[in-house]
Amino acid sequence: MEYQIDKTELEKPEKHAELDSIIAAALKSRNVTGDIAYRQTEKRLKALPMLIDRIEDEKEELAELENYGVDGLRHVARSYVSMIKPGMRITPEEAHAVQMARLRAQLNSDELEVRRMKRALALIEDDPYYEIIKQYYYRCKPDSAISYRMNCDTATVGRNRRRLVKKLALRLYGADVLE
């Protein structure tokens, strides 16, 4: 179905006001404050190692479904059961196709997130305090343990960790975080 835009409608002043309010609302909903971006960046950093592991699991599950076909649904515990709801009429072939599509979509999404995070991290990897990010977010080390290992003050570790996360947030969320 094709929609036609009536250009005379768009020229009316009330339509301009309506469009302006829609655009303003869209821009406002897109706006991410610095605090939110910082917290989201921290969540993404903590999740990165688990996402990398998950990608490997998804690849194995996808390979199993591809190799075994419909019989693979029985081997992959969550695939068949999670799709079939009471009263649904779906053939095993349809369930297989849906599961394959769902797995591919999830795999693509996870791989995209990992690529984005790795590109952002590449921007700060030459920083002398980059090790703080790895220790704090990937190995769950407290600032005190990191400061001991790096032979510096705990405040220095915290300050540089926040500085690097803010750089990552800017890279991931754009100028909206600058407030």
Side-chain angles (χ1 to χ4, degrees), residues 40-58:
Q40 288 299 105
T41 302
E42 284 193 310
K43 285 181 182 178
R44 291 170 80 171
L45 282 167
K46 289 175 184 174
L48 187 59
M50 290 177 274
L51 268 179
I52 292 170
D53 287 345
R54 179 184 163 91
I55 287 170
E56 292 306 312
D57 292 344
E58 289 169 343

Side-chain angles (χ1 to χ4, degrees), residues 2 47 69 128:
E2 189 175 313

Side-chain angles (χ1 to χ4, degrees), residues 51 54-56 58-59 62 66 99-116 119:
L51 268 179
R54 179 184 163 91
I55 287 170
E56 292 306 312
E58 289 169 343
K59 286 180 179 178
L62 190 59
E66 287 172 345
Q99 183 60 17
M100 294 281 290
R102 190 166 90 183
L103 261 174
R104 283 190 182 107
Q106 185 63 51
L107 183 61
N108 288 338
S109 174
D110 290 346
E111 286 176 335
L112 177 62
E113 175 64 11
V114 168
R115 280 194 308 272
R116 283 182 179 153
R119 279 194 305 260

Side-chain angles (χ1 to χ4, degrees), residues 33-140:
T33 65
D35 288 343
I36 293 170
Y38 184 89
R39 287 192 304 270
Q40 288 299 105
T41 302
E42 284 193 310
K43 285 181 182 178
R44 291 170 80 171
L45 282 167
K46 289 175 184 174
L48 187 59
M50 290 177 274
L51 268 179
I52 292 170
D53 287 345
R54 179 184 163 91
I55 287 170
E56 292 306 312
D57 292 344
E58 289 169 343
K59 286 180 179 178
E60 286 175 18
E61 188 174 345
L62 190 59
E64 191 170 313
L65 284 173
E66 287 172 345
N67 292 336
Y68 292 110
V70 176
D71 291 333
L73 289 173
R74 290 179 191 81
H75 298 289
V76 180
R78 68 183 175 119
S79 62
Y80 193 67
V81 176
S82 65
M83 270 187 297
I84 306 298
K85 306 290 183 230
M88 281 183 69
R89 293 181 182 208
I90 185 169
T91 66
E93 290 79 13
E94 291 169 329
H96 182 261
V98 168
Q99 183 60 17
M100 294 281 290
R102 190 166 90 183
L103 261 174
R104 283 190 182 107
Q106 185 63 51
L107 183 61
N108 288 338
S109 174
D110 290 346
E111 286 176 335
L112 177 62
E113 175 64 11
V114 168
R115 280 194 308 272
R116 283 182 179 153
M117 289 302 294
K118 284 185 176 182
R119 279 194 305 260
L121 287 165
L123 295 174
I124 64 167
E125 69 185 357
D126 292 334
D127 191 284
Y129 291 98
Y130 177 70
E131 186 65 24
I132 293 171
I133 297 297
K134 290 172 24 180
Q135 293 294 320
Y136 188 84
Y137 293 104
Y138 306 155
R139 295 183 183 93
C140 302

